[in-house]
Amino acid sequence: MIQYIVLLPLLAAAIAGLGNKALGKLPAKIVTTGALFIACALSWATFIPFLLGEAQASVTPLFTWIESGSFDAQWALRVDTMTAVMLVVITSVSSLVHLYSWGYMDEEPDQPRFFAYLSLFTFAMLMLVTANNLLQMFFGWEGVGLASYLLIGFWFRKPSANAAAIKAFVVNRVGDLGFMMGIFGTYLVFNTISIPEILEAAPSMAGSTIGFLGYRFDTMTVLCLLLFVGAMGKSAQLGLHTWLPDAMEGPTPVSALIHAATMVTAGVFMVCRLSPMFETSETALTVVTYVGAATCLFAATVGTVQTDIKRVIAYSTCSQLGYMFFAAGVGAYGAAMFHLFTHAFFKALLFLGAGSVIHAMHHEQDMRYYGGLRKSIPITFWTMTLGTLAITGVGLPIVGVGFAGFYSKDGILEAAYAAGGAGTGAFIVGVFAALLTSFYSWRLVFLTFFGKPRWTQSEHIQHALHDAHGHGHDDHAHDDHGHDDHAAHAHDAHGHDDHHAHDAGDGTGGYHPHESPLVMLIPLLVLSLGAVFAGFIFHDQFIGPEGGIEFWKGALAFDSHLMHEAHEVPTWVKFSPFTVMLTGLVIAWLSYIKNTDWPRRFVATFGGLYQFLLNKWYFDELYNFLFVKPAFAIGRFFWKFGDVGFIDRFGPNGLAALVVQGNKITRRLQSGYLYTYALVMLIGLAAAATWAMTR
């Protein structure tokens, strides 16, 4: 069965990609979407026996990939509990994104290529999670990187999309260098790349040392940190995070599939898959904890000031990945995977919901130009509200009933507190980030769906009204709705709630948004079920002290003692996420519904802090100064002085110039007069006679 799950998306991608326009839009969509729904059904059929405790881990060998001396890379598909969980996440979200794209990309003329890219990405991600050795995992790892590059830059005629695709590609190459070095080092130490063999032998290497950069370090710490660098790049952790928000330049379904639900979780999956390795190094786990907590805080703070609806959700993704990593860092790998599982559903729901809003608002992405949409697009409103309730962790701590994020995020925070040490700091940061998450999530809802319409301020809406009066229509589906980043404006991103004051009449300008088509609403409704029920149904299997052992069956390092301690934390710890969730909700309500001048007053008082957050802690500017400008300067130097000034000058250009000068000299000898040629011949004869006589 696993062969069909993995290969069906590849076959669909090949048919749609090679057939392209000759195949046609509808057949391409049917083939790719149908293949994904079949793979999804088979994935759930694989997952349910693991859920019921009736299945065991298995390996399906396919063929020998590389065999050289002691190096043996067998291409085999591994299916255990972790794989089954990821199969469900990947194929469920991907199939719904395929269906959603039928409506969202309806005006796109190049749909076969788009759907081929989606299916190619899905195949690469499936290869990553079914890998039985590190080289096979690296194949999937690079495959999702390639597909990500293609999808982010899908509208290749749009400069900002090309720039974002290149940025994602380059930043991920930095992380991938660490991942490759980790694989090389692991093979050097264990003499194998087979994941089961490595994990079995890892405890025996604890305490040993290895030479690295001219010094001796703890072997497992070096290997784990190198592998973690790869995870940082793929999962956008602080330092290698800069590509993720810019990746929103791709179509919205791409954002939902790659940058919210699946690809960015590859790093979390890798750390959990290799958790027995990480358990041998306390230093590596501490680094993972601190990096995850720092990312969680950073992204949450930046998310509070974003005005682009997709960027708010993108920074939210970055923050939630931080939760997953510090859960892994404190040893709660089951909690990390649980949050990965629930997050996939409610974050895909939020992204697709945002796409529905953008679709209704004629591709306007700036929330400052929304307002009052809940009556115009009620299904989108209610589904996005369910997603917001899930991500903010709404639930009743005493009763133990709530939305998906209530179980998974609270489980992470409780495990961090129970772990102590670095986990205590992560718990404090996580609680504060939960407050910010609640604030920016409800801010998004209030700015988008409540208040008076502010639509007439939008150039996109004005353009739509202009078209409606018979002035022709431009196809906006080709550049994803993107106007420039309004974060560059010095004025208050929050304080535009009063735009309606400048509007005539009701602020709508005569524009009437409409609900998205059914093919876009069905995925929202299905994902809503996951956002509501996924936590309640699966929490005991993922993080229960006893249920977790039975469910995971050794697929990851599950610490039942830690999870038991997490369930026994003090009551105030259990109520902390609930309290900050309510606090964030109230602050957002007061700022964007009750007193809409508060944001402007805040910016006037704390302008420096606002600019700091608006410029994303100046990471992009810092990297531009440290890496981009020097790289361009070095490139210009080698171009002008190396290539043009030396190689061209003394190489092809120099030889050509030498030939030209030689021709000028020899041309003088070709005068056309007989006595000139006779003189040359006489001189030649005299020279020859002189040489002969001297011999």
Side-chain angles (χ1 to χ4, degrees):
M1 184 183 295
I2 184 63
Q3 301 97 312
Y4 300 110
I5 297 174
V6 173
L7 296 178
L8 273 173
L10 176 62
L11 179 62
I15 293 173
L18 297 176
N20 209 310
K21 294 182 180 179
L23 180 65
K25 297 179 183 179
L26 184 60
K29 292 191 288 189
I30 291 174
V31 168
T32 53
T33 308
L36 259 299
F37 271 97
I38 294 172
C40 179
L42 296 176
S43 297
W44 278 97
T46 302
F47 173 69
I48 291 175
F50 282 98
L51 189 67
L52 300 176
E54 299 173 355
Q56 298 295 326
S58 63
V59 177
T60 304
L62 297 181
F63 55 86
T64 299
W65 187 14
I66 302 173
E67 190 172 7
S68 177
S70 62
F71 184 83
D72 185 15
Q74 296 289 327
W75 199 290
L77 304 178
R78 180 176 185 81
V79 180
D80 57 11
T81 307
M82 276 191 69
T83 306
V85 169
M86 293 303 295
L87 290 178
V88 165
V89 168
I90 295 165
T91 57
S92 297
V93 174
S94 182
S95 58
L96 293 173
V97 166
H98 274 72
L99 180 61
Y100 179 92
S101 299
W102 281 49
Y104 193 86
M105 303 294 287
D106 185 54
E107 297 178 358
E108 171 60 46
D110 206 2
Q111 291 180 47
R113 179 167 63 92
F114 178 76
F115 281 88
Y117 286 170
L118 286 183
S119 295
L120 177 64
F121 164 80
T122 308
F123 161 73
M125 192 68 198
L126 291 171
M127 286 304 309
L128 192 159
V129 301
T130 57
N132 195 47
N133 62 62
L134 292 178
L135 189 60
Q136 191 178 336
M137 180 182 285
F138 187 71
F139 172 84
W141 193 273
E142 293 302 299
V144 293
L146 168 65
S148 172
Y149 171 78
L150 294 173
L151 284 165
I152 295 170
F154 176 75
W155 285 304
F156 53 85
R157 293 184 179 88
K158 182 182 177 186
S160 58
N162 285 330
I166 292 172
K167 187 175 183 179
F169 189 82
V170 171
V171 174
N172 272 277
R173 295 294 70 74
V174 177
D176 292 351
L177 174 63
F179 190 35
M180 285 189 288
M181 292 177 66
I183 294 174
F184 299 155
T186 302
Y187 177 71
L188 178 68
V189 171
F190 295 99
N191 198 36
T192 181
I193 57 170
S194 170
I195 293 175
E197 294 178 16
I198 293 169
L199 300 185
E200 184 179 356
S204 65
M205 296 305 298
S208 63
T209 61
I210 189 173
F212 184 67
L213 300 177
Y215 297 92
R216 302 293 297 183
F217 297 100
D218 181 78
T219 302
M220 297 309 297
T221 298
V222 171
L223 297 182
C224 291
L225 289 180
L226 287 173
L227 292 168
F228 180 60
V229 170
M232 287 177 63
K234 195 65 72 181
S235 295
Q237 293 301 283
L238 190 65
L240 295 177
H241 68 280
T242 54
W243 66 271
L244 183 63
D246 288 351
M248 297 305 105
E249 289 291 342
T252 299
V254 172
S255 305
L257 177 62
I258 297 182
H259 307 106
T262 53
M263 190 193 87
V264 290
T265 61
V268 180
F269 168 82
M270 186 263 283
V271 171
C272 291
R273 169 65 86 197
L274 303 179
S275 53
M277 284 183 68
F278 282 82
E279 284 294 297
T280 61
S281 173
E282 188 66 31
T283 302
L285 288 177
T286 302
V287 171
V288 173
T289 303
Y290 283 136
V291 170
T295 305
C296 184
L297 177 64
F298 157 76
T301 58
V302 176
T304 59
V305 300
Q306 297 300 304
T307 58
D308 186 312
I309 188 171
K310 288 172 65 177
R311 283 181 177 265
V312 174
I313 305 173
Y315 278 106
S316 172
T317 297
C318 201
S319 181
Q320 298 305 309
L321 290 166
Y323 276 104
M324 299 176 206
F325 273 110
F326 79 66
V330 301
Y333 302 100
M337 288 298 297
F338 188 33
H339 197 50
L340 184 158
F341 182 78
T342 61
H343 174 264
F345 293 105
F346 59 71
K347 186 53 62 69
L349 171 61
L350 288 172
F351 259 119
L352 296 184
S356 183
V357 172
I358 293 168
H359 184 271
M361 294 299 290
H362 203 74
H363 310 303
E364 175 60 71
Q365 294 181 200
D366 195 327
M367 297 184 298
R368 296 173 296 183
Y369 306 138
Y370 290 167
L373 286 173
R374 69 184 186 279
K375 295 179 181 178
S376 302
I377 47 174
I379 298 177
T380 300
F381 163 65
W382 283 111
T383 53
M384 285 197 73
T385 301
L386 292 175
T388 303
L389 291 169
I391 194 174
T392 56
V394 173
L396 301 175
I398 295 180
V399 180
V401 176
F403 292 84
F406 166 75
Y407 294 95
S408 58
K409 183 161 40 175
D410 286 24
I412 288 175
L413 293 173
E414 291 163 9
Y417 178 85
T424 302
F427 167 77
I428 296 171
V429 170
V431 169
F432 181 64
L435 186 152
L436 298 178
T437 301
S438 179
F439 170 75
Y440 67 64
S441 297
W442 289 112
R443 169 179 174 263
L444 184 153
V445 171
F446 294 147
L447 279 175
T448 303
F449 297 106
F450 290 85
K452 293 182 180 180
R454 303 179 294 276
W455 310 341
T456 55
Q457 301 298 314
S458 168
E459 295 180 4
H460 293 264
I461 301 302
Q462 293 293 346
H463 185 79
L465 293 172
H466 184 73
D467 289 342
H469 287 89
H471 295 282
H473 178 71
D474 295 328
D475 187 0
H476 285 264
H478 295 268
D479 72 28
D480 198 38
H481 348 97
H483 57 249
D484 296 334
D485 185 2
H486 288 271
H489 292 282
H491 53 272
D492 175 21
H494 301 172
H496 284 261
D497 299 346
D498 291 327
H499 275 181
H500 59 269
H502 306 289
D503 295 342
D506 60 0
T508 65
Y511 183 75
H512 301 289
H514 295 288
E515 190 63 273
S516 298
L518 191 62
V519 289
M520 293 174 64
L521 296 179
I522 291 175
L524 296 181
L525 296 171
V526 174
L527 290 169
S528 297
L529 296 177
V532 175
F533 298 112
F536 175 76
I537 295 174
F538 300 113
H539 73 279
D540 185 60
Q541 286 86 351
F542 277 84
I543 59 175
E546 288 78 27
I549 296 177
E550 185 65 26
F551 176 67
W552 292 112
K553 291 186 175 69
L556 49 71
F558 187 82
D559 189 343
S560 60
H561 176 71
L562 174 62
M563 299 316 299
H564 179 76
E565 292 293 319
H567 283 74
E568 300 298 327
V569 295
T571 303
W572 70 268
V573 175
K574 292 181 178 291
F575 270 89
S576 295
F578 178 77
T579 304
V580 296
M581 178 274 298
L582 283 181
T583 304
L585 169 59
V586 170
I587 294 173
W589 182 80
L590 289 173
S591 300
Y592 296 98
I593 299 296
K594 182 69 174 176
N595 303 297
T596 55
D597 64 327
W598 278 20
R600 185 177 285 108
R601 290 165 56 187
F602 175 87
V603 171
T605 306
F606 302 100
L609 174 62
Y610 173 72
Q611 288 298 323
F612 179 70
L613 298 180
L614 194 62
N615 288 281
K616 301 156 286 190
W617 291 26
Y618 293 99
F619 268 100
D620 283 310
E621 290 79 2
L622 178 64
Y623 287 175
N624 188 55
F625 175 76
L626 292 178
F627 304 116
V628 178
K629 287 185 176 179
F632 275 106
I634 293 171
R636 281 193 297 270
F637 173 81
F638 282 111
W639 165 40
K640 291 187 176 181
F641 296 99
D643 191 13
V644 177
F646 185 80
I647 297 174
D648 285 352
R649 182 181 179 185
F650 297 104
N653 292 350
L655 291 174
L658 185 62
V659 170
V660 170
Q661 293 300 322
N663 287 341
K664 289 181 180 179
I665 296 172
T666 57
R667 186 177 62 192
R668 295 178 181 178
L669 299 177
Q670 303 296 324
S671 64
Y673 294 108
L674 181 61
Y675 58 80
T676 302
Y677 300 143
L679 176 62
V680 171
M681 293 172 63
L682 182 60
I683 292 172
L685 285 171
T690 302
W691 177 80
M693 286 188 291
T694 56
R695 295 282 292 174

